[in-house]
Amino acid sequence: MRYVIIGNGPAGVVAAETLRKCDQHGSIVLIGDEPEPPYSRMAIPYLLMGEIQEAGTHLRKDRNHFRNLNIELVVARADKLDTSKNVVSLDNGKSLTYDRLLIASGSKPISPPIAGINLPGIYPCWTLEDSRHIMKLAKKGARVLQMGAGFIGCIILEALAARGVELSIVEMGNRMVPRMMTEGAGGLIKKWCEKKGVKVFTSTKVEAIEKSGNSANPLNVKLSNGQSLPAGLVISATGVRPNIEFLKGSGIVTDAGIKIDGTMQTNVPGVYAAGDVAQAEEFYTGAQLVNAIQPNAVDQARVAALNMAGENSRSQGTMAINVLDTPGLISSSFGQWMGVKGGEHTELVDEDNFRYMHLEFKDDVLVGATSLGLTQHVGVIRGLIQGKISLGEWKERLLKDPTRIMEAYLARTQGSNFKLAA
Ligand SMILES: Cc1cc2nc3c(=O)[nH]c(=O)nc-3n(C[C@H](O)[C@H](O)[C@H](O)COP(=O)(O)OP(=O)(O)OC[C@H]3O[C@@H](n4cnc5c(N)ncnc54)[C@H](O)[C@@H]3O)c2cc1C
């Protein structure tokens, strides 16, 4: 059996290792187009904070790890796929044939259509190469402007703040993490960041970036509110799109990502997809969703690899789980945090202490949640949502006081063994 994997990020690596466990003799080729050992993007913030060196981002520390597993690493870009002949063409002129193919090519940052976006000193924060540029410019006291306060933007924000830069964040949405957390939570995160000395502009666009002629801050960033901000570094964190261009003409169905079924198989038999590039069924609604977080990438990779090796494995469906640390304030959102049609919700807001909880229900089942500053509850929230646990009389109690979620979980999962205190 000849297995080919396109993409050597967390999904590709875990798939290759799982395949090797299941099939001692098959040939496994892992293709990656970055000139680095396989690494984890989610370790980049720790590199920026100086907590690890580059080697700390590498997914496997032993240099011989892949050789020992007889997994062949190929540094090249897959630029065409012919599913009728089972051939992947590479940009180095070579091609590879496969019996089973996994596409784990992840996503890449969008370059927003802004005048001056290609000037020197403007980078995304996506690859190890980007982080090298950022570390050169993001010195203590440097003026840094970041476009975008989504999930990745907020993660980078923490790392930049830790480097002691003068940071401004510009976000088009009316709050921080607008596509990931409720208005209440996004507003409180903004307030918290401002308390920590970060300037946050929401409902604001970057309209143009120009050269300033000033050597300390060579860029001038024009905002839609009329202000102009000098900057030595601009970071673009305005969203990503899946790496699917090379699939043109392959017959593989794509939408926001590659469409896959519960076994991670695409519409073409023998071709699978996993990770940030894949659009899988959401476990509650069944809607197709790209869930671009590393645990999801790794789970999907494992399921895909088991099926590629001839075993039977099915995902229960993907679920949004987002946890953020925006300098020192932990927030999280889960599942249908934005609510579902015909659902009900409850919200607790303690602005002075930066505590917040928002629960979304459908009938007597918790379907989504957003919380801030209440980390002790995140495990049970996930358990209740993922387990689709019927809350019975506990739903009304939670509507009155969402902080009783731990009691609700214990009562509904341990039944009569759990005695409610008076
Ligand atoms: C700064 C940062 C912080 C993050 N923090 C978190 C976090 O805290 N928690 C979390 O869960 N997630 C986090 N993420 C997201 C997480 O990194 C991704 O969900 C994860 O990397 C997805 O893994 P993947 O294997 O699907 O894709 P990737 O890691 O993107 O790997 C895909 C690989 O395939 C290569 N490739 C693409 N196209 C081709 C081609 N045609 N031919 C060959 N190779 C190709 C790419 O260059 C890349 O190396 C973070 C991301 C960033 C950028």
Side-chain angles (χ1 to χ4, degrees), residues 7 9-11 33-34 41-42 76 78 105-106 126 152 155 243 275-276 292-295:
D33 64 354
E34 292 183 62
R41 304 194 191 290
M42 72 179 273
S105 50
W126 195 250
I152 301 296
I155 293 173
N243 285 316
D276 282 9
I293 55 171
Q294 186 164 320

mmCIF file with all atom_site columns, all heavy atoms in Angstrom, residues 7 9-11 33-34 41-42 76 78 105-106 126 152 155 243 275-276 292-295, ligand 1:
data_model
loop_
_atom_site.group_PDB
_atom_site.id
_atom_site.type_symbol
_atom_site.label_atom_id
_atom_site.label_alt_id
_atom_site.label_comp_id
_atom_site.label_asym_id
_atom_site.label_entity_id
_atom_site.label_seq_id
_atom_site.pdbx_PDB_ins_code
_atom_site.Cartn_x
_atom_site.Cartn_y
_atom_site.Cartn_z
_atom_site.occupancy
_atom_site.B_iso_or_equiv
_atom_site.pdbx_formal_charge
_atom_site.auth_seq_id
_atom_site.auth_comp_id
_atom_site.auth_asym_id
_atom_site.auth_atom_id
_atom_site.pdbx_PDB_model_num
ATOM   1   N N   . GLY A 1 7   ? 1.006   17.865 3.189  1.00 0.00 ? 7   GLY A N   1
ATOM   2   C CA  . GLY A 1 7   ? 0.954   18.732 4.373  1.00 0.00 ? 7   GLY A CA  1
ATOM   3   C C   . GLY A 1 7   ? 1.603   18.033 5.555  1.00 0.00 ? 7   GLY A C   1
ATOM   4   O O   . GLY A 1 7   ? 1.208   16.915 5.919  1.00 0.00 ? 7   GLY A O   1
ATOM   5   N N   . GLY A 1 9   ? 2.036   19.431 8.728  1.00 0.00 ? 9   GLY A N   1
ATOM   6   C CA  . GLY A 1 9   ? 1.724   20.065 10.017 1.00 0.00 ? 9   GLY A CA  1
ATOM   7   C C   . GLY A 1 9   ? 1.225   18.991 10.983 1.00 0.00 ? 9   GLY A C   1
ATOM   8   O O   . GLY A 1 9   ? 1.405   17.789 10.746 1.00 0.00 ? 9   GLY A O   1
ATOM   9   N N   . PRO A 1 10  ? 0.578   19.390 12.084 1.00 0.00 ? 10  PRO A N   1
ATOM   10  C CA  . PRO A 1 10  ? 0.112   18.407 13.079 1.00 0.00 ? 10  PRO A CA  1
ATOM   11  C C   . PRO A 1 10  ? -0.777  17.315 12.480 1.00 0.00 ? 10  PRO A C   1
ATOM   12  O O   . PRO A 1 10  ? -0.638  16.136 12.832 1.00 0.00 ? 10  PRO A O   1
ATOM   13  C CB  . PRO A 1 10  ? -0.686  19.257 14.066 1.00 0.00 ? 10  PRO A CB  1
ATOM   14  C CG  . PRO A 1 10  ? -0.172  20.632 13.902 1.00 0.00 ? 10  PRO A CG  1
ATOM   15  C CD  . PRO A 1 10  ? 0.317   20.778 12.495 1.00 0.00 ? 10  PRO A CD  1
ATOM   16  N N   . ALA A 1 11  ? -1.661  17.692 11.543 1.00 0.00 ? 11  ALA A N   1
ATOM   17  C CA  . ALA A 1 11  ? -2.555  16.672 10.969 1.00 0.00 ? 11  ALA A CA  1
ATOM   18  C C   . ALA A 1 11  ? -1.744  15.661 10.158 1.00 0.00 ? 11  ALA A C   1
ATOM   19  O O   . ALA A 1 11  ? -1.906  14.444 10.324 1.00 0.00 ? 11  ALA A O   1
ATOM   20  C CB  . ALA A 1 11  ? -3.621  17.339 10.098 1.00 0.00 ? 11  ALA A CB  1
ATOM   21  N N   . ASP A 1 33  ? 5.672   21.912 2.148  1.00 0.00 ? 33  ASP A N   1
ATOM   22  C CA  . ASP A 1 33  ? 6.313   22.906 1.276  1.00 0.00 ? 33  ASP A CA  1
ATOM   23  C C   . ASP A 1 33  ? 7.087   23.979 2.025  1.00 0.00 ? 33  ASP A C   1
ATOM   24  O O   . ASP A 1 33  ? 7.576   24.921 1.429  1.00 0.00 ? 33  ASP A O   1
ATOM   25  C CB  . ASP A 1 33  ? 5.275   23.543 0.337  1.00 0.00 ? 33  ASP A CB  1
ATOM   26  C CG  . ASP A 1 33  ? 4.218   24.330 1.095  1.00 0.00 ? 33  ASP A CG  1
ATOM   27  O OD1 . ASP A 1 33  ? 4.220   24.301 2.343  1.00 0.00 ? 33  ASP A OD1 1
ATOM   28  O OD2 . ASP A 1 33  ? 3.387   24.973 0.443  1.00 0.00 ? 33  ASP A OD2 1
ATOM   29  N N   . GLU A 1 34  ? 7.200   23.852 3.369  1.00 0.00 ? 34  GLU A N   1
ATOM   30  C CA  . GLU A 1 34  ? 8.021   24.820 4.099  1.00 0.00 ? 34  GLU A CA  1
ATOM   31  C C   . GLU A 1 34  ? 9.381   24.182 4.383  1.00 0.00 ? 34  GLU A C   1
ATOM   32  O O   . GLU A 1 34  ? 9.441   23.007 4.734  1.00 0.00 ? 34  GLU A O   1
ATOM   33  C CB  . GLU A 1 34  ? 7.349   25.205 5.424  1.00 0.00 ? 34  GLU A CB  1
ATOM   34  C CG  . GLU A 1 34  ? 6.068   26.007 5.226  1.00 0.00 ? 34  GLU A CG  1
ATOM   35  C CD  . GLU A 1 34  ? 5.472   26.424 6.567  1.00 0.00 ? 34  GLU A CD  1
ATOM   36  O OE1 . GLU A 1 34  ? 6.127   27.168 7.311  1.00 0.00 ? 34  GLU A OE1 1
ATOM   37  O OE2 . GLU A 1 34  ? 4.341   26.000 6.868  1.00 0.00 ? 34  GLU A OE2 1
ATOM   38  N N   . ARG A 1 41  ? 2.334   25.445 14.486 1.00 0.00 ? 41  ARG A N   1
ATOM   39  C CA  . ARG A 1 41  ? 2.132   26.903 14.471 1.00 0.00 ? 41  ARG A CA  1
ATOM   40  C C   . ARG A 1 41  ? 1.719   27.396 15.852 1.00 0.00 ? 41  ARG A C   1
ATOM   41  O O   . ARG A 1 41  ? 2.009   28.524 16.233 1.00 0.00 ? 41  ARG A O   1
ATOM   42  C CB  . ARG A 1 41  ? 1.040   27.280 13.479 1.00 0.00 ? 41  ARG A CB  1
ATOM   43  C CG  . ARG A 1 41  ? 1.285   26.796 12.079 1.00 0.00 ? 41  ARG A CG  1
ATOM   44  C CD  . ARG A 1 41  ? 0.349   27.479 11.092 1.00 0.00 ? 41  ARG A CD  1
ATOM   45  N NE  . ARG A 1 41  ? 0.403   26.832 9.788  1.00 0.00 ? 41  ARG A NE  1
ATOM   46  C CZ  . ARG A 1 41  ? 1.422   26.864 8.955  1.00 0.00 ? 41  ARG A CZ  1
ATOM   47  N NH1 . ARG A 1 41  ? 2.521   27.505 9.296  1.00 0.00 ? 41  ARG A NH1 1
ATOM   48  N NH2 . ARG A 1 41  ? 1.389   26.253 7.786  1.00 0.00 ? 41  ARG A NH2 1
ATOM   49  N N   . MET A 1 42  ? 0.987   26.557 16.599 1.00 0.00 ? 42  MET A N   1
ATOM   50  C CA  . MET A 1 42  ? 0.489   27.061 17.881 1.00 0.00 ? 42  MET A CA  1
ATOM   51  C C   . MET A 1 42  ? 1.612   27.264 18.899 1.00 0.00 ? 42  MET A C   1
ATOM   52  O O   . MET A 1 42  ? 1.396   27.876 19.939 1.00 0.00 ? 42  MET A O   1
ATOM   53  C CB  . MET A 1 42  ? -0.660  26.211 18.442 1.00 0.00 ? 42  MET A CB  1
ATOM   54  C CG  . MET A 1 42  ? -0.348  24.887 18.979 1.00 0.00 ? 42  MET A CG  1
ATOM   55  S SD  . MET A 1 42  ? -1.864  24.094 19.605 1.00 0.00 ? 42  MET A SD  1
ATOM   56  C CE  . MET A 1 42  ? -1.931  24.729 21.280 1.00 0.00 ? 42  MET A CE  1
ATOM   57  N N   . ALA A 1 76  ? 8.494   19.816 -0.856 1.00 0.00 ? 76  ALA A N   1
ATOM   58  C CA  . ALA A 1 76  ? 8.026   20.259 -2.177 1.00 0.00 ? 76  ALA A CA  1
ATOM   59  C C   . ALA A 1 76  ? 6.574   20.680 -2.028 1.00 0.00 ? 76  ALA A C   1
ATOM   60  O O   . ALA A 1 76  ? 5.920   20.358 -1.034 1.00 0.00 ? 76  ALA A O   1
ATOM   61  C CB  . ALA A 1 76  ? 8.131   19.127 -3.195 1.00 0.00 ? 76  ALA A CB  1
ATOM   62  N N   . ALA A 1 78  ? 2.811   20.355 -3.534 1.00 0.00 ? 78  ALA A N   1
ATOM   63  C CA  . ALA A 1 78  ? 1.925   19.607 -4.435 1.00 0.00 ? 78  ALA A CA  1
ATOM   64  C C   . ALA A 1 78  ? 1.193   20.647 -5.268 1.00 0.00 ? 78  ALA A C   1
ATOM   65  O O   . ALA A 1 78  ? 0.547   21.529 -4.702 1.00 0.00 ? 78  ALA A O   1
ATOM   66  C CB  . ALA A 1 78  ? 0.932   18.787 -3.625 1.00 0.00 ? 78  ALA A CB  1
ATOM   67  N N   . SER A 1 105 ? -3.329  20.024 4.022  1.00 0.00 ? 105 SER A N   1
ATOM   68  C CA  . SER A 1 105 ? -2.511  21.169 3.597  1.00 0.00 ? 105 SER A CA  1
ATOM   69  C C   . SER A 1 105 ? -2.828  22.454 4.365  1.00 0.00 ? 105 SER A C   1
ATOM   70  O O   . SER A 1 105 ? -2.265  23.510 4.059  1.00 0.00 ? 105 SER A O   1
ATOM   71  C CB  . SER A 1 105 ? -2.677  21.392 2.087  1.00 0.00 ? 105 SER A CB  1
ATOM   72  O OG  . SER A 1 105 ? -4.048  21.421 1.732  1.00 0.00 ? 105 SER A OG  1
ATOM   73  N N   . GLY A 1 106 ? -3.712  22.389 5.345  1.00 0.00 ? 106 GLY A N   1
ATOM   74  C CA  . GLY A 1 106 ? -3.946  23.542 6.216  1.00 0.00 ? 106 GLY A CA  1
ATOM   75  C C   . GLY A 1 106 ? -4.498  24.752 5.486  1.00 0.00 ? 106 GLY A C   1
ATOM   76  O O   . GLY A 1 106 ? -5.161  24.633 4.449  1.00 0.00 ? 106 GLY A O   1
ATOM   77  N N   . TRP A 1 126 ? 2.145   33.583 10.780 1.00 0.00 ? 126 TRP A N   1
ATOM   78  C CA  . TRP A 1 126 ? 1.605   32.273 10.442 1.00 0.00 ? 126 TRP A CA  1
ATOM   79  C C   . TRP A 1 126 ? 2.675   31.178 10.412 1.00 0.00 ? 126 TRP A C   1
ATOM   80  O O   . TRP A 1 126 ? 2.457   30.058 10.838 1.00 0.00 ? 126 TRP A O   1
ATOM   81  C CB  . TRP A 1 126 ? 0.898   32.365 9.075  1.00 0.00 ? 126 TRP A CB  1
ATOM   82  C CG  . TRP A 1 126 ? 0.018   31.213 8.787  1.00 0.00 ? 126 TRP A CG  1
ATOM   83  C CD1 . TRP A 1 126 ? 0.229   30.235 7.854  1.00 0.00 ? 126 TRP A CD1 1
ATOM   84  C CD2 . TRP A 1 126 ? -1.202  30.866 9.460  1.00 0.00 ? 126 TRP A CD2 1
ATOM   85  N NE1 . TRP A 1 126 ? -0.787  29.312 7.906  1.00 0.00 ? 126 TRP A NE1 1
ATOM   86  C CE2 . TRP A 1 126 ? -1.673  29.688 8.879  1.00 0.00 ? 126 TRP A CE2 1
ATOM   87  C CE3 . TRP A 1 126 ? -1.923  31.459 10.505 1.00 0.00 ? 126 TRP A CE3 1
ATOM   88  C CZ2 . TRP A 1 126 ? -2.848  29.065 9.305  1.00 0.00 ? 126 TRP A CZ2 1
ATOM   89  C CZ3 . TRP A 1 126 ? -3.088  30.848 10.922 1.00 0.00 ? 126 TRP A CZ3 1
ATOM   90  C CH2 . TRP A 1 126 ? -3.538  29.663 10.324 1.00 0.00 ? 126 TRP A CH2 1
ATOM   91  N N   . ILE A 1 152 ? -6.640  34.021 16.103 1.00 0.00 ? 152 ILE A N   1
ATOM   92  C CA  . ILE A 1 152 ? -5.183  34.075 15.963 1.00 0.00 ? 152 ILE A CA  1
ATOM   93  C C   . ILE A 1 152 ? -4.670  35.444 16.409 1.00 0.00 ? 152 ILE A C   1
ATOM   94  O O   . ILE A 1 152 ? -3.670  35.549 17.132 1.00 0.00 ? 152 ILE A O   1
ATOM   95  C CB  . ILE A 1 152 ? -4.769  33.785 14.489 1.00 0.00 ? 152 ILE A CB  1
ATOM   96  C CG1 . ILE A 1 152 ? -5.262  32.392 14.051 1.00 0.00 ? 152 ILE A CG1 1
ATOM   97  C CG2 . ILE A 1 152 ? -3.265  33.912 14.312 1.00 0.00 ? 152 ILE A CG2 1
ATOM   98  C CD1 . ILE A 1 152 ? -4.674  31.225 14.774 1.00 0.00 ? 152 ILE A CD1 1
ATOM   99  N N   . ILE A 1 155 ? -4.356  35.607 20.081 1.00 0.00 ? 155 ILE A N   1
ATOM   100 C CA  . ILE A 1 155 ? -3.254  34.786 20.599 1.00 0.00 ? 155 ILE A CA  1
ATOM   101 C C   . ILE A 1 155 ? -1.927  35.532 20.415 1.00 0.00 ? 155 ILE A C   1
ATOM   102 O O   . ILE A 1 155 ? -1.100  35.595 21.319 1.00 0.00 ? 155 ILE A O   1
ATOM   103 C CB  . ILE A 1 155 ? -3.209  33.419 19.881 1.00 0.00 ? 155 ILE A CB  1
ATOM   104 C CG1 . ILE A 1 155 ? -4.441  32.596 20.246 1.00 0.00 ? 155 ILE A CG1 1
ATOM   105 C CG2 . ILE A 1 155 ? -1.940  32.656 20.234 1.00 0.00 ? 155 ILE A CG2 1
ATOM   106 C CD1 . ILE A 1 155 ? -4.583  31.310 19.468 1.00 0.00 ? 155 ILE A CD1 1
ATOM   107 N N   . ASN A 1 243 ? -5.788  25.902 1.892  1.00 0.00 ? 243 ASN A N   1
ATOM   108 C CA  . ASN A 1 243 ? -4.865  25.644 0.774  1.00 0.00 ? 243 ASN A CA  1
ATOM   109 C C   . ASN A 1 243 ? -5.478  24.589 -0.143 1.00 0.00 ? 243 ASN A C   1
ATOM   110 O O   . ASN A 1 243 ? -5.202  23.391 0.006  1.00 0.00 ? 243 ASN A O   1
ATOM   111 C CB  . ASN A 1 243 ? -3.516  25.146 1.320  1.00 0.00 ? 243 ASN A CB  1
ATOM   112 C CG  . ASN A 1 243 ? -2.708  26.265 1.928  1.00 0.00 ? 243 ASN A CG  1
ATOM   113 O OD1 . ASN A 1 243 ? -2.598  27.356 1.369  1.00 0.00 ? 243 ASN A OD1 1
ATOM   114 N ND2 . ASN A 1 243 ? -2.137  26.019 3.096  1.00 0.00 ? 243 ASN A ND2 1
ATOM   115 N N   . GLY A 1 275 ? -7.853  18.343 9.223  1.00 0.00 ? 275 GLY A N   1
ATOM   116 C CA  . GLY A 1 275 ? -7.216  19.555 9.743  1.00 0.00 ? 275 GLY A CA  1
ATOM   117 C C   . GLY A 1 275 ? -7.855  20.827 9.222  1.00 0.00 ? 275 GLY A C   1
ATOM   118 O O   . GLY A 1 275 ? -9.017  20.845 8.806  1.00 0.00 ? 275 GLY A O   1
ATOM   119 N N   . ASP A 1 276 ? -7.053  21.911 9.224  1.00 0.00 ? 276 ASP A N   1
ATOM   120 C CA  . ASP A 1 276 ? -7.585  23.240 8.863  1.00 0.00 ? 276 ASP A CA  1
ATOM   121 C C   . ASP A 1 276 ? -8.139  23.299 7.446  1.00 0.00 ? 276 ASP A C   1
ATOM   122 O O   . ASP A 1 276 ? -8.912  24.200 7.128  1.00 0.00 ? 276 ASP A O   1
ATOM   123 C CB  . ASP A 1 276 ? -6.466  24.295 8.965  1.00 0.00 ? 276 ASP A CB  1
ATOM   124 C CG  . ASP A 1 276 ? -6.178  24.717 10.391 1.00 0.00 ? 276 ASP A CG  1
ATOM   125 O OD1 . ASP A 1 276 ? -6.704  24.082 11.319 1.00 0.00 ? 276 ASP A OD1 1
ATOM   126 O OD2 . ASP A 1 276 ? -5.412  25.682 10.579 1.00 0.00 ? 276 ASP A OD2 1
ATOM   127 N N   . ALA A 1 292 ? -10.753 25.326 12.728 1.00 0.00 ? 292 ALA A N   1
ATOM   128 C CA  . ALA A 1 292 ? -9.300  25.435 12.544 1.00 0.00 ? 292 ALA A CA  1
ATOM   129 C C   . ALA A 1 292 ? -8.543  25.541 13.865 1.00 0.00 ? 292 ALA A C   1
ATOM   130 O O   . ALA A 1 292 ? -7.963  26.566 14.195 1.00 0.00 ? 292 ALA A O   1
ATOM   131 C CB  . ALA A 1 292 ? -9.004  26.635 11.654 1.00 0.00 ? 292 ALA A CB  1
ATOM   132 N N   . ILE A 1 293 ? -8.555  24.454 14.618 1.00 0.00 ? 293 ILE A N   1
ATOM   133 C CA  . ILE A 1 293 ? -7.746  24.387 15.837 1.00 0.00 ? 293 ILE A CA  1
ATOM   134 C C   . ILE A 1 293 ? -6.975  23.073 15.824 1.00 0.00 ? 293 ILE A C   1
ATOM   135 O O   . ILE A 1 293 ? -7.407  22.092 15.213 1.00 0.00 ? 293 ILE A O   1
ATOM   136 C CB  . ILE A 1 293 ? -8.589  24.522 17.134 1.00 0.00 ? 293 ILE A CB  1
ATOM   137 C CG1 . ILE A 1 293 ? -9.712  23.477 17.189 1.00 0.00 ? 293 ILE A CG1 1
ATOM   138 C CG2 . ILE A 1 293 ? -9.152  25.920 17.270 1.00 0.00 ? 293 ILE A CG2 1
ATOM   139 C CD1 . ILE A 1 293 ? -10.422 23.417 18.529 1.00 0.00 ? 293 ILE A CD1 1
ATOM   140 N N   . GLN A 1 294 ? -5.843  23.079 16.528 1.00 0.00 ? 294 GLN A N   1
ATOM   141 C CA  . GLN A 1 294 ? -4.954  21.911 16.436 1.00 0.00 ? 294 GLN A CA  1
ATOM   142 C C   . GLN A 1 294 ? -5.565  20.612 16.977 1.00 0.00 ? 294 GLN A C   1
ATOM   143 O O   . GLN A 1 294 ? -5.404  19.563 16.348 1.00 0.00 ? 294 GLN A O   1
ATOM   144 C CB  . GLN A 1 294 ? -3.614  22.214 17.112 1.00 0.00 ? 294 GLN A CB  1
ATOM   145 C CG  . GLN A 1 294 ? -2.628  21.079 16.912 1.00 0.00 ? 294 GLN A CG  1
ATOM   146 C CD  . GLN A 1 294 ? -1.209  21.464 17.201 1.00 0.00 ? 294 GLN A CD  1
ATOM   147 O OE1 . GLN A 1 294 ? -0.776  22.562 16.865 1.00 0.00 ? 294 GLN A OE1 1
ATOM   148 N NE2 . GLN A 1 294 ? -0.464  20.569 17.823 1.00 0.00 ? 294 GLN A NE2 1
ATOM   149 N N   . PRO A 1 295 ? -6.277  20.637 18.116 1.00 0.00 ? 295 PRO A N   1
ATOM   150 C CA  . PRO A 1 295 ? -6.830  19.347 18.586 1.00 0.00 ? 295 PRO A CA  1
ATOM   151 C C   . PRO A 1 295 ? -7.781  18.725 17.559 1.00 0.00 ? 295 PRO A C   1
ATOM   152 O O   . PRO A 1 295 ? -7.809  17.504 17.381 1.00 0.00 ? 295 PRO A O   1
ATOM   153 C CB  . PRO A 1 295 ? -7.603  19.726 19.859 1.00 0.00 ? 295 PRO A CB  1
ATOM   154 C CG  . PRO A 1 295 ? -7.005  21.010 20.305 1.00 0.00 ? 295 PRO A CG  1
ATOM   155 C CD  . PRO A 1 295 ? -6.534  21.719 19.074 1.00 0.00 ? 295 PRO A CD  1
HETATM 156 C C1  . LIG B 2 .   ? 0.211   31.965 15.751 1.00 0.00 ? 1   LIG B C1  1
HETATM 157 C C2  . LIG B 2 .   ? -0.750  30.802 15.831 1.00 0.00 ? 1   LIG B C2  1
HETATM 158 C C3  . LIG B 2 .   ? -1.199  30.359 17.062 1.00 0.00 ? 1   LIG B C3  1
HETATM 159 C C4  . LIG B 2 .   ? -2.104  29.306 17.147 1.00 0.00 ? 1   LIG B C4  1
HETATM 160 N N1  . LIG B 2 .   ? -2.523  28.914 18.376 1.00 0.00 ? 1   LIG B N1  1
HETATM 161 C C5  . LIG B 2 .   ? -3.383  27.896 18.481 1.00 0.00 ? 1   LIG B C5  1
HETATM 162 C C6  . LIG B 2 .   ? -3.832  27.451 19.756 1.00 0.00 ? 1   LIG B C6  1
HETATM 163 O O1  . LIG B 2 .   ? -3.487  28.022 20.788 1.00 0.00 ? 1   LIG B O1  1
HETATM 164 N N2  . LIG B 2 .   ? -4.664  26.391 19.805 1.00 0.00 ? 1   LIG B N2  1
HETATM 165 C C7  . LIG B 2 .   ? -5.061  25.731 18.684 1.00 0.00 ? 1   LIG B C7  1
HETATM 166 O O2  . LIG B 2 .   ? -5.777  24.759 18.778 1.00 0.00 ? 1   LIG B O2  1
HETATM 167 N N3  . LIG B 2 .   ? -4.674  26.132 17.459 1.00 0.00 ? 1   LIG B N3  1
HETATM 168 C C8  . LIG B 2 .   ? -3.846  27.196 17.325 1.00 0.00 ? 1   LIG B C8  1
HETATM 169 N N4  . LIG B 2 .   ? -3.444  27.615 16.097 1.00 0.00 ? 1   LIG B N4  1
HETATM 170 C C9  . LIG B 2 .   ? -4.020  26.940 14.900 1.00 0.00 ? 1   LIG B C9  1
HETATM 171 C C10 . LIG B 2 .   ? -3.249  25.651 14.617 1.00 0.00 ? 1   LIG B C10 1
HETATM 172 O O3  . LIG B 2 .   ? -1.903  25.968 14.428 1.00 0.00 ? 1   LIG B O3  1
HETATM 173 C C11 . LIG B 2 .   ? -3.836  24.964 13.386 1.00 0.00 ? 1   LIG B C11 1
HETATM 174 O O4  . LIG B 2 .   ? -5.168  24.594 13.667 1.00 0.00 ? 1   LIG B O4  1
HETATM 175 C C12 . LIG B 2 .   ? -3.030  23.729 13.016 1.00 0.00 ? 1   LIG B C12 1
HETATM 176 O O5  . LIG B 2 .   ? -1.735  24.102 12.619 1.00 0.00 ? 1   LIG B O5  1
HETATM 177 C C13 . LIG B 2 .   ? -3.696  22.973 11.883 1.00 0.00 ? 1   LIG B C13 1
HETATM 178 O O6  . LIG B 2 .   ? -2.886  21.902 11.501 1.00 0.00 ? 1   LIG B O6  1
HETATM 179 P P1  . LIG B 2 .   ? -2.862  21.358 10.020 1.00 0.00 ? 1   LIG B P1  1
HETATM 180 O O7  . LIG B 2 .   ? -1.914  20.215 10.033 1.00 0.00 ? 1   LIG B O7  1
HETATM 181 O O8  . LIG B 2 .   ? -4.245  21.139 9.532  1.00 0.00 ? 1   LIG B O8  1
HETATM 182 O O9  . LIG B 2 .   ? -2.303  22.569 9.119  1.00 0.00 ? 1   LIG B O9  1
HETATM 183 P P2  . LIG B 2 .   ? -0.905  23.323 9.163  1.00 0.00 ? 1   LIG B P2  1
HETATM 184 O O10 . LIG B 2 .   ? -0.311  23.323 10.509 1.00 0.00 ? 1   LIG B O10 1
HETATM 185 O O11 . LIG B 2 .   ? -1.133  24.633 8.495  1.00 0.00 ? 1   LIG B O11 1
HETATM 186 O O12 . LIG B 2 .   ? 0.026   22.416 8.236  1.00 0.00 ? 1   LIG B O12 1
HETATM 187 C C14 . LIG B 2 .   ? -0.171  22.296 6.854  1.00 0.00 ? 1   LIG B C14 1
HETATM 188 C C15 . LIG B 2 .   ? 1.163   22.200 6.157  1.00 0.00 ? 1   LIG B C15 1
HETATM 189 O O13 . LIG B 2 .   ? 0.951   21.885 4.792  1.00 0.00 ? 1   LIG B O13 1
HETATM 190 C C16 . LIG B 2 .   ? 1.770   22.682 3.989  1.00 0.00 ? 1   LIG B C16 1
HETATM 191 N N5  . LIG B 2 .   ? 1.169   22.807 2.646  1.00 0.00 ? 1   LIG B N5  1
HETATM 192 C C17 . LIG B 2 .   ? 0.139   23.574 2.262  1.00 0.00 ? 1   LIG B C17 1
HETATM 193 N N6  . LIG B 2 .   ? -0.122  23.400 0.953  1.00 0.00 ? 1   LIG B N6  1
HETATM 194 C C18 . LIG B 2 .   ? 0.757   22.480 0.508  1.00 0.00 ? 1   LIG B C18 1
HETATM 195 C C19 . LIG B 2 .   ? 0.999   21.893 -0.758 1.00 0.00 ? 1   LIG B C19 1
HETATM 196 N N7  . LIG B 2 .   ? 0.255   22.200 -1.835 1.00 0.00 ? 1   LIG B N7  1
HETATM 197 N N8  . LIG B 2 .   ? 2.014   21.009 -0.877 1.00 0.00 ? 1   LIG B N8  1
HETATM 198 C C20 . LIG B 2 .   ? 2.763   20.666 0.209  1.00 0.00 ? 1   LIG B C20 1
HETATM 199 N N9  . LIG B 2 .   ? 2.588   21.209 1.434  1.00 0.00 ? 1   LIG B N9  1
HETATM 200 C C21 . LIG B 2 .   ? 1.598   22.095 1.583  1.00 0.00 ? 1   LIG B C21 1
HETATM 201 C C22 . LIG B 2 .   ? 1.775   24.020 4.731  1.00 0.00 ? 1   LIG B C22 1
HETATM 202 O O14 . LIG B 2 .   ? 2.838   24.848 4.320  1.00 0.00 ? 1   LIG B O14 1
HETATM 203 C C23 . LIG B 2 .   ? 1.923   23.531 6.158  1.00 0.00 ? 1   LIG B C23 1
HETATM 204 O O15 . LIG B 2 .   ? 3.261   23.332 6.485  1.00 0.00 ? 1   LIG B O15 1
HETATM 205 C C24 . LIG B 2 .   ? -2.540  28.656 15.969 1.00 0.00 ? 1   LIG B C24 1
HETATM 206 C C25 . LIG B 2 .   ? -2.080  29.095 14.718 1.00 0.00 ? 1   LIG B C25 1
HETATM 207 C C26 . LIG B 2 .   ? -1.199  30.171 14.644 1.00 0.00 ? 1   LIG B C26 1
HETATM 208 C C27 . LIG B 2 .   ? -0.726  30.643 13.300 1.00 0.00 ? 1   LIG B C27 1
#
